[in-house]
Amino acid sequence: MARVRYGARTEAEISAARAARSRLPDIWSTGVAALWETDPEAVAAVLPPPLKPTGSPLVRVSISQVGMPGYPLGAGSFAVAAAHDGVEGWYPLVMPMTHERALTGGREVFGEPKKLGEVTLEREGDLIRAVLARHGIAFVEVRGTVSGELPPPEPAPRTDFYVKFLPAVDGSGFDAEPVLVHCVRHEKVRRLQRVTGEVVLRESPYDPVADLPVRRLLGITLGEKTGDQRGRVVERVDARALLPYVHQRYDDPLHVHDGPPEGSL
């Protein structure tokens, strides 16, 4: 009988897949990053417990083209500064990706808020335009002019915070206790340039980042970088306290609560 491809993989096949993943070369990306101060109350409003605001109400957006083997990937992140248990880092609200392959591992393993979207990074001479778009709405646009070289920073770790959860089958909450994940990225930058420009946030009912406006732009850069990431569960999260925030993960805020009505088949 021909092999049934949905059948179980052998231990040798599983081991070979793990070994191939561990031998991946450095994957370099070219990306725009913008940093700004926003309203402190807006940052506090989007942070689920046990995350807390830092001393600065910062927003960081990154829009990158990644040199994935076999196909290019557009990857974006819109994150706010956050702190947990003495560690400062970033809490992403939305992470648009251009391919399904980039979604599954991040969402299912780390709890990243990844969604399919359009990620554009264009350069014509010194002119730069980078866009995050979904449902036909360019909800973030960074545009400007490359205005000089910057010294690449030393390799350094960066922590992102994710909440990993599994919505309940009956729509009543969660099927397992949610967990807080610390994901530590070690980044290496080989080139960094200053960009003089602006950040435009547009209204979107699906990605309402316009609620975190640019009050003071701290900088825009264009860089080439690579890195790796390691995640670990650091804390169980109170399900009742988290429930008011799970709508952040979905386009339809009722999605997580749409289990079958009581008594239905």
Side-chain angles (χ1 to χ4, degrees), residues 143-199:
R143 57 199 184 199
T145 303
V146 175
S147 54
E149 295 286 334
L150 294 169
E154 292 296 319
R158 190 190 83 220
T159 300
D160 282 350
F161 304 116
Y162 305 122
V163 181
K164 183 177 177 180
F165 58 81
L166 184 65
V169 172
D170 64 3
S172 64
F174 306 102
D175 273 337
E177 194 174 14
V179 296
L180 178 66
V181 175
H182 284 199
C183 182
V184 179
R185 287 181 166 81
H186 293 88
E187 294 185 339
K188 179 171 60 176
V189 180
R190 66 184 179 188
R191 188 180 186 187
L192 193 65
Q193 295 176 292
R194 182 187 301 106
V195 175
T196 301
E198 63 177 340
V199 177

Side-chain angles (χ1 to χ4, degrees), residues 5 21 23-24 38 46 69 89 163-164 170 192 199 215 245 265:
R5 285 167 290 176
R21 187 168 61 245
R23 294 194 301 268
L24 283 175
T38 190
V46 301
V163 181
K164 183 177 177 180
D170 64 3
L192 193 65
V199 177
R215 297 305 186 199
Y245 296 88
L265 296 178

Side-chain angles (χ1 to χ4, degrees), residues 31-53:
V32 166
L35 183 69
W36 67 89
E37 291 180 349
T38 190
D39 300 328
E41 60 272 18
V43 172
V46 301
L47 293 176
L51 298 179
K52 299 181 183 301

Side-chain angles (χ1 to χ4, degrees), residues 43-208:
V43 172
V46 301
L47 293 176
L51 298 179
K52 299 181 183 301
T54 66
S56 301
L58 299 178
V59 177
R60 182 182 187 273
V61 66
S62 62
I63 304 173
S64 301
Q65 294 292 328
V66 186
M68 296 289 290
Y71 64 92
L73 168 69
S77 174
F78 187 104
V80 298
H84 172 254
D85 198 23
V87 177
E88 292 195 358
W90 299 94
Y91 174 66
L93 293 170
V94 60
M95 300 175 70
M97 300 284 143
T98 57
H99 294 294
E100 179 72 21
R101 180 181 175 186
L103 301 184
T104 52
R107 287 192 313 205
E108 296 170 17
V109 177
F110 293 101
E112 295 173 330
K114 289 185 173 180
K115 299 178 181 179
L116 280 175
E118 299 172 29
V119 181
T120 305
L121 176 57
E122 301 170 334
R123 179 169 185 174
E124 185 174 344
D126 287 335
L127 297 179
I128 295 291
R129 180 175 179 266
V131 176
L132 299 179
R134 299 180 64 250
H135 301 288
I137 303 171
F139 60 93
V140 178
E141 181 175 349
V142 182
R143 57 199 184 199
T145 303
V146 175
S147 54
E149 295 286 334
L150 294 169
E154 292 296 319
R158 190 190 83 220
T159 300
D160 282 350
F161 304 116
Y162 305 122
V163 181
K164 183 177 177 180
F165 58 81
L166 184 65
V169 172
D170 64 3
S172 64
F174 306 102
D175 273 337
E177 194 174 14
V179 296
L180 178 66
V181 175
H182 284 199
C183 182
V184 179
R185 287 181 166 81
H186 293 88
E187 294 185 339
K188 179 171 60 176
V189 180
R190 66 184 179 188
R191 188 180 186 187
L192 193 65
Q193 295 176 292
R194 182 187 301 106
V195 175
T196 301
E198 63 177 340
V199 177
V200 179
L201 305 179
R202 296 187 177 91
E203 175 57 34
S204 169
Y206 309 103
D207 304 288

